[in-house]
Amino acid sequence: MNKICPTIEDALAGIEDGMSVMIGGFGGAGAPIELIHALVDRYKATGSPGRLTVINNNAGNGAVGIAAMIYAGMVAKMVCSFPRSSDPKAFTDAYLAGKIALELVPQGTLAERIRAGGAGIPAFYTPSSFGTQVAEGKPVAEFDGRSYVQERWLKADVALIKAELADAKGNLTFRKAARNFSPLMAMAAATTIVQASRVVEPGTIDPEHVVTPGIFVDRIVEVPNPAQEEALLREGAK
Amino acid sequence: MVVKLTNAQIAWRAAQDLPDGAYVNLGIGFPEMIATFKPEGREVTYHTENGILDFGEAPPAGEEDWDLINAGKKAVTLNPGASFFHHADSFAMVRGGHLDVAVLGAYEVAQTGDLANWSTGPGSVPAVGGAMDLVHGARQVWVVTDHVTKKGEPKLLEACRLPLTGVGCVTTVYTSLAVIDIVDRRFVVREKLPSMSLEDLQAVTGALLAVGAAVGDLIVPEL
């Protein structure tokens, strides 16, 4: 079994118009910049893939990463908890102009919906959002005297995530707080595509240290010295 | 003359109540200041939603690692014994009742403990982040806030007018004028500025204030 792809383009093959795409990262930490920009480049060259639903905690910052996808016009809908950032212009302008839809999900509910999607649990109850606008229209139930809101699983056609180490079997480790949503997204997507900062031989990652087991991963491409979104923004990237 | 507390002084006052050994989540912005004023000798472990337990102060300028940030996307450092985890585990810590204290800011707080802190209504981009999760699960939910809005309107009300973050969740409000606990759906004044009468405090509060056994003086250092 070898999940290593020779190029980013090979790794990204098969992403089509209208697909749902989970993208790892919290702010700049964990954003798979090279995968995202290869997809933006493909869209600019061929007009596809467009009309995407993008699932991420945020909705882009500055003009790189998810913001670049929005500026390119390839995102129809964002599913996120916090569509604000130090420079949220890309999303804010598109949203206020009615060019992009927003499904706002509390952060813990977003994480658990993705986890549930990967774990085969179609719905669950959470105390979060009970009695708020976010819960409107959702089933509510009482358990042991407290009220809870029913939330459904969230799956996607594709996940794009950034890992630190990967092996050909798909085992992954992450770097510091760049882990965030990525292990959950790897479970919840039909096809999980990983950019790894270093590809190592199977057995190099101690089984005790594997964070995402290879069964959740489909394709890996090595991207040494990857760009870091926050660092790019601070360097004045446009 | 009444001189209201600065945000730093409100944060200082809240910090004095941090229990020794507590696991604490400090909301983005104003609540983050509380860490600065943690009393000497008290051990507090800070949680951040994006997957770190036991993070420390900001690194010196130029030494930031942008994969090591808090929920406010600010660079942090790690204390010995820190750990990383993914988002589902992070919010299991939150909703599962494992945090002792969560501290948030507020637009409005109701005497029932309802909190409004995420949306000022139509016309803006809504953003909720982790607030709707944090208000459930932590054993105590504290709010730090000015006692009134910039226009001088009460922020402590019988019922919130703005969209709610959570229902019946706030346990204590640390304001620029008073420390107020929410007990049995009432605002109970624990401390107030000594320069202020209870009537003065009532006049800038949008719900009836109750008084416990005694009202202490809210005294903080110059900061």
Side-chain angles (χ1 to χ4, degrees), chain A residues 13-36:
Chain A
I15 301 180
E16 296 171 6
D17 292 348
M19 281 190 165
S20 54
V21 183
M22 290 177 172
I23 300 182
F26 180 94
I33 291 295
E34 284 77 5
L35 291 182
I36 294 172

Side-chain angles (χ1 to χ4, degrees), chain A residues 5 7-16 34-40 42 49 158-160 193-194 219 221:
Chain A
C5 298
T7 69
I8 290 182
E9 289 66 31
D10 291 316
L12 292 173
I15 301 180
E16 296 171 6
E34 284 77 5
L35 291 182
I36 294 172
H37 280 269
L39 211 55
V40 171
R42 190 205 295 175
V158 177
L160 305 181
I193 302 168
V194 177
R219 302 178 198 158
V221 59

Side-chain angles (χ1 to χ4, degrees), chain A residues 26-30 57-58 80-84 91-92 95-96 102 104-109 111-112 115 126-134 146 162 175-184 211 228 230-231 234, chain B residues 28 48-52 64-74 78 84-89 91-92 95 107 118-120 123-137 162-167:
Chain A
F26 180 94
N57 185 64
N58 303 96
C80 70
S81 87
F82 203 78
R84 290 188 201 147
F91 177 81
T92 303
Y95 176 75
L96 295 177
L102 170 65
L104 191 73
V105 184
Q107 198 174 127
T109 298
E112 193 64 16
R115 198 199 70 81
T126 175
S128 306
S129 89
F130 174 76
T132 74
Q133 287 178 1
V134 171
R146 264 188 88 184
K162 180 185 192 177
R175 186 171 183 275
K176 302 185 178 181
R179 181 182 308 192
N180 54 70
F181 285 90
S182 296
L184 309 172
V211 178
Q228 209 286 352
E230 184 67 28
R234 283 167 190 268
Chain B
I28 295 174
T48 181
E49 296 96 296
N50 55 310
I52 312 174
E64 297 91 348
D65 178 340
W66 296 109
D67 286 343
L68 194 55
I69 57 174
N70 64 12
K73 319 299 195 286
K74 294 196 186 84
L78 299 178
F84 297 122
F85 35 86
H86 61 58
H87 250 81
D89 280 354
F91 281 87
R95 289 181 311 254
Y107 298 139
W118 71 281
S119 169
T120 51
S124 59
V125 177
V128 65
M132 285 192 185
D133 307 283
L134 282 164
V135 297
H136 298 287
L162 292 169
L164 293 183
T165 307
V167 175

